[in-house]
Amino acid sequence: MIKRNLAPVHPGEILREEYIAERGLTITEVANGLGITRQMLSAVVNEKAAITPELAVKLSEAFGNTAQFWVNLQKNYEIWHAEKKVDRTIIRHFGKDHNMQSAS
């Protein structure tokens, strides 16, 4: 795994800047086009909410990419932040030889 110090960009920022703003669209227009509330889309583009799998499917249809693209952006963002929170030093390791060692 590649260790990075810079956090990945929230997928809402990518949606806001590269898909909505670049096309001259409004939040209301895109929300209506996706069949979601303006508040829901606003929360995502303001980085207060995550892109759900259902929203990823809608975004892929609307913007011509894949749901996996949106899901991967979200998961990469979440995993990076989880890596910063988890204290790995307190985790017990269960290697593949665990059963053999405990049986001896």
Side-chain angles (χ1 to χ4, degrees):
M1 171 171 277
I2 298 173
K3 297 286 185 188
R4 298 186 297 173
N5 288 330
L6 281 176
V9 174
H10 189 281
E13 180 181 337
I14 293 170
L15 175 59
R16 181 181 69 242
E17 299 299 325
E18 296 181 23
Y19 289 88
I20 296 174
E22 272 193 17
R23 289 167 172 79
L25 301 168
T26 67
I27 299 297
T28 302
E29 184 178 14
V30 174
N32 288 339
L34 295 172
I36 63 174
T37 66
R38 184 189 187 292
Q39 291 79 7
M40 179 186 291
L41 185 58
S42 182
V44 171
V45 300
N46 288 309
E47 305 172 33
K48 305 292 184 204
I51 291 180
T52 64
E54 183 177 321
L55 181 55
V57 170
K58 291 178 179 189
L59 291 170
S60 72
E61 184 65 25
F63 292 109
N65 50 25
T66 66
Q68 198 63 49
F69 168 77
W70 295 105
V71 168
N72 285 343
L73 288 175
Q74 187 64 50
K75 290 300 172 197
N76 289 341
Y77 179 84
E78 291 172 3
I79 288 171
W80 188 90
H81 285 280
E83 289 279 355
K84 298 295 180 192
K85 288 181 185 174
V86 172
D87 179 359
R88 291 174 175 262
T89 63
I90 65 168
I91 306 297
R92 181 177 166 197
H93 291 222
F94 300 97
K96 61 183 176 182
D97 296 331
H98 173 74
N99 286 338
M100 288 183 214
Q101 290 173 354
S102 61
S104 324

